[in-house]
Amino acid sequence: MTVSQEQVARGEPILSVNGLSAGYGPMRVIHDLDLIIHPGERVGIVGLNGHGKSTLFLAIAGLTGWQRGSIKLSGHEVGGTRSQGPGRHTHKVVRRGLALMPQGDEIFHGLTVEEHLDSGAFTPKAWRERATRKEGVLQVFPPLRKLMQTPVGRLSGGERRMVSLGRGLMADASLFLVDEPSLGLAPKIGKSVMEALFAIELGSSAMVIAEQNVALLEGRVDRIIGMHVGKLKGEASASLAQHNRREA
Amino acid sequence: MDFGFIFITAITLACIYGTLAIGISITWSSLGLVNMAYGFTFSAAGFGAWYVGRLAQDLPLVADYPLLLGAIVIAAGIVTGALVGVMVCALAFIPIHDKPEFTVRGLIATLAISLIGTQVLLYMFGPRAKPLPTLFGDWKVSFGDIVITADKGGSIMASIVLLTLTLRWMTHSRRGLEIRAMMMNPHAASLVGIGVRRTGFYVMALTGGLAGLASVLLSQTYFVSPFAGLTPLIKGLSVALCGGLGSVQGAVIAAVILGFNEALTASFLGGQYVLITQFLLIIAIILVRPRGIAGILDRAREA
C-alpha cells in the first residue's frame, strides 16, 4: 500500500521533522535533517551502524544529549533547542502518541511479562483499555501467551524482543519507531519478528523501522529511506527498490 | 538468660529497621539518590507526631479512647514524614536530577538538608527529648516463656500491616508499577510515559511516610529528639546495603538478621558493642555476597 496524493492532502503528517540536528556533547550525529511521515505509512530507514538511525529516533523522543530543530508530532511541537536534560520531556512526547521500541530492548528485568505489557499502557487512556490491548499484542506475538507470569529477565533474546516490541504496541500511539527489530536475533527468529511487525494493522497510525539489512524490508514497506553520516540520502518506494534489484 | 525477651526485642527491631531500610532502598534504586536526609525526616516526623499528639490529647473524644490517640499520633507521624519527603524531593532531587554527577551532588544536597533541618528542629523544639504518648494501650500476652508487651506487640503489628499494605499497593496498582518500573530501568520508564520528576514526588512521599512510621514506633522505646535520626539512618542504610540496594525481600531478611544480632549482642555483651558486631556481620555478608542478600534471591538476569 502506498500513500496516495489525496491521503497526503487530507491529513496533516503524523511526524514532521524540520532542520533537526542532534548529538552528544561535542559530537554531532544528526545534521540538519528533514523527514515527513504520513498517517498509515510504514517506512524503512536503512543505513550502516553509527550513521544516526538510533540517534534520530532518540532525538524525536528527546533522549539525545542535545538537539535543535523542529519536531512536530500530530501537529504539536515537541522539539526545539535543548542542551541538557535528556529524557526530561520524554514522557510528554510519549503522551502525545509516540511509541519508541529501542535498540537493546530496555526491559524491566524483574517484572513479569504481563506487568511489562501493562507498563506499556501507562498513559491514562491506554491503561483503561489495557485488557483488550494485551489481547491484541498476544495475537501479534502468540508465544508470549504461555509466558505471561514469567519474569522478563528469564526470557530468551527472541522472547525479550517480543516483550519489548509488545510493550510499544500496548501504547495508545500514533507513531511507532522501531529500532533494529532483528538485531542480535537468529535470522529465522529475526525474520518472524519482522513479519509480525509487517502484519500489524496501522490504521491512521504510522510505523518507522530502522534496519541495516535492506533485504528484510524490501517489498514490505511503503518507502525506504537511506541514511548516511547523519543525513537522509535517497528515497525509493518499495516497489521501485525491488524492481531495480531485479534489473541488476 | 531470657530468650523470649531477646526474641521479641529482635523481631521488634527487625520490623522497624526493615521499614527504614525499605524506604532507603526504594529511594536509591528508583531515583538514584542516597537520601542522607532520611534521618532528619525520621526526627521531624517524630516531632510532628509529638506536636499533634499534644494538641489532640485534650480533645473530648480522644481522652476517653487511648487507642484513638495512638492512631492519630501514628497518622501524624506518617503524614509529617511524607511532607518532609516531598520537601527533600523538591529541594534535592528536582533541581539537579539530570545534571552531571547527580549521585554525589544528591548525597551532598540531602546531607545539607539534614544538617540544616536538624538545627531548625533544635531551634524550634529545644534540645530536650520528648516522650510520645503510649500508642498501643497497656496489655500483655504471653506464649509460654515469651511475653509480648503492648508497645512491642503493637509495633510489630503496625509495621507488618502497613508494610504489607505498601508492598501490595506497589505490586497491584498503576502508581506501584510506575515506581517499580523506575527502580528497574529509569530510561525505559521514560519511554513508556513515566515522568521522572512526578514519580520522584510519589517515591519520596512514600519513603518519607515509612520513615515517619518507623519514627513513631521506635519512640515507644526511645525519645523524640532533634538528633534521634542519626542512628536509625546509619542502621537503615546498613540494612539496605546488606540486603542489596533495590531489593525489598533482601531488606526484610537483612533486617531480621541484624535485629537478632542487635538483641543478642545487647543482652550478652552490652549495648555499646551493638554497632561493632553489626558492622562486622555486614562486612562478612558483603564479602561473601557483594550484591547483598538480594544476590542470592534474584532469579532474573539483569540487562
Side-chain angles (χ1 to χ4, degrees):
Chain A
M1 181 197 75
T2 46
V3 180
S4 61
Q5 283 306 311
E6 57 195 52
Q7 245 177 320
V8 176
R10 188 159 19 107
E12 57 180 337
I14 284 188
L15 177 74
S16 127
V17 173
N18 216 326
L20 177 71
S21 297
Y24 310 90
M27 194 169 68
R28 179 164 154 170
V29 184
I30 304 268
H31 301 267
D32 242 349
L33 180 146
D34 301 327
L35 174 68
I36 288 182
I37 306 286
H38 293 288
E41 262 192 317
R42 213 184 299 265
V43 177
I45 292 189
V46 182
L48 290 176
N49 239 344
H51 283 244
K53 301 187 298 294
S54 298
T55 306
L56 170 62
F57 284 1
L58 292 176
I60 293 170
L63 281 164
T64 48
W66 58 268
Q67 64 187 76
R68 72 156 189 258
S70 153
I71 302 169
K72 284 204 175 110
L73 190 62
S74 306
H76 296 280
E77 179 66 54
V78 296
T81 303
R82 176 175 64 77
S83 64
Q84 55 184 7
R88 187 185 282 192
H89 301 297
T90 303
H91 65 285
K92 292 180 200 156
V93 184
V94 170
R95 262 161 223 222
R96 286 252 178 256
L98 175 81
L100 172 59
M101 287 91 130
Q103 200 175 356
D105 291 348
E106 296 283 357
I107 54 161
F108 305 114
H109 57 88
L111 296 186
T112 63
V113 171
E114 179 158 26
E115 289 172 324
H116 207 279
L117 293 181
D118 283 343
S119 78
F122 184 74
T123 52
K125 182 162 175 279
W127 184 260
R128 283 191 294 275
E129 303 162 354
R130 66 187 188 283
T132 41
R133 285 175 177 278
K134 237 181 312 201
E135 200 46 47
V137 169
L138 288 178
Q139 257 155 36
V140 178
F141 299 116
L144 291 183
R145 198 179 289 274
K146 272 179 285 176
L147 300 166
M148 286 303 253
Q149 300 309 322
T150 318
V152 180
R154 302 179 81 192
L155 300 183
S156 72
E159 290 162 345
R160 282 177 187 223
R161 186 64 45 83
M162 289 180 206
V163 172
S164 162
L165 295 174
R167 183 182 69 196
L169 295 177
M170 287 292 286
D172 178 35
S174 50
L175 177 66
F176 296 94
L177 303 178
V178 192
D179 200 353
E180 306 233 11
S182 70
L183 183 81
L185 299 183
K188 206 174 153 191
I189 299 170
K191 197 146 193 193
S192 71
V193 167
M194 295 295 280
E195 287 302 325
L197 286 177
F198 296 140
I200 293 166
E201 293 267 345
L202 286 178
S204 64
S205 57
M207 180 180 275
V208 184
I209 304 172
E211 186 53 67
Q212 288 192 43
N213 187 351
V214 197
L216 281 174
L217 294 173
E218 258 170 349
R220 310 304 305 269
V221 291
D222 303 315
R223 283 192 287 159
I224 293 181
I225 307 173
M227 188 151 194
H228 185 71
V229 212
K231 287 179 177 159
L232 296 179
K233 289 264 169 83
E235 178 176 332
S237 75
S239 51
L240 183 66
Q242 213 170 22
H243 179 74
N244 289 345
R245 201 177 160 88
R246 255 189 240 116
E247 294 285 295
Chain B
M1 190 48 62
D2 184 356
F3 282 103
F5 177 75
I6 294 176
F7 181 75
I8 288 303
T9 312
I11 294 291
T12 314
L13 289 171
C15 286
I16 295 169
Y17 293 159
T19 312
L20 281 167
I22 287 172
I24 289 174
S25 205
I26 292 175
T27 316
W28 163 252
S29 53
S30 60
L31 306 183
L33 179 72
V34 181
N35 188 359
M36 296 299 280
Y38 213 56
F40 162 64
T41 312
F42 182 92
S43 24
F47 276 109
W50 170 76
Y51 191 71
V52 171
R54 215 182 49 161
L55 289 182
Q57 67 190 353
D58 302 327
L59 296 176
L61 196 62
V62 176
D64 302 331
Y65 299 98
L67 283 179
L68 182 64
L69 179 65
I72 291 176
V73 168
I74 292 180
I78 293 175
V79 170
T80 319
L83 288 177
V84 175
V86 167
M87 187 198 80
V88 172
C89 182
L91 290 175
F93 179 73
I94 297 299
I96 55 174
H97 74 97
D98 50 9
K99 307 288 189 294
E101 307 292 346
F102 165 65
T103 314
V104 180
R105 287 196 200 184
L107 189 94
I108 295 170
T110 50
L111 186 62
I113 292 174
S114 168
L115 294 174
I116 296 168
T118 311
Q119 296 303 317
V120 170
L121 287 181
L122 191 62
Y123 178 76
M124 282 169 67
F125 297 102
R128 281 186 55 186
K130 310 269 194 292
L132 280 191
T134 324
L135 298 180
F136 303 107
D138 192 16
W139 43 267
K140 249 184 208 173
V141 188
S142 41
F143 302 100
D145 281 350
I146 305 173
V147 182
I148 302 178
T149 52
D151 58 329
K152 296 215 164 95
S155 296
I156 295 171
M157 296 269 286
S159 57
I160 288 180
V161 166
L162 287 171
L163 269 187
T164 314
L165 283 179
T166 311
L167 296 181
R168 260 197 85 76
W169 175 76
M170 278 188 66
T171 44
H172 285 83
S173 70
R174 178 162 170 261
R175 288 274 161 253
L177 186 65
E178 170 178 352
I179 294 177
R180 283 191 302 150
M182 276 280 288
M183 286 168 74
M184 286 169 204
N185 190 340
H187 187 245
S190 67
L191 284 180
V192 299
I194 294 172
V196 178
R197 295 164 160 242
R198 205 155 136 200
T199 315
F201 279 110
Y202 291 124
V203 168
M204 293 299 276
L206 173 71
T207 57
L210 289 178
L213 172 68
S215 169
V216 173
L217 296 182
L218 203 61
S219 26
Q220 291 300 291
T221 321
Y222 303 98
F223 293 105
V224 174
S225 79
F227 301 101
L230 186 63
T231 321
L233 169 71
I234 294 172
K235 293 204 169 145
L237 258 178
S238 46
V239 170
L241 267 175
C242 186
L245 281 168
S247 163
V248 172
Q249 295 153 296
V252 171
I253 295 175
V256 171
I257 294 177
L258 294 181
F260 270 94
N261 171 64
E262 178 159 343
L264 286 171
T265 311
S267 43
F268 286 110
L269 299 175
Q272 68 270 39
Y273 294 106
V274 166
L275 279 179
I276 298 177
T277 56
Q278 185 169 0
F279 280 111
L280 284 177
L281 191 63
I282 291 168
I283 290 169
I285 291 176
I286 298 289
L287 276 179
V288 182
R289 283 279 154 189
R291 272 182 62 205
I293 292 166
I296 311 171
L297 298 173
D298 215 354
R299 292 181 306 155
R301 286 180 290 142
E302 271 191 64

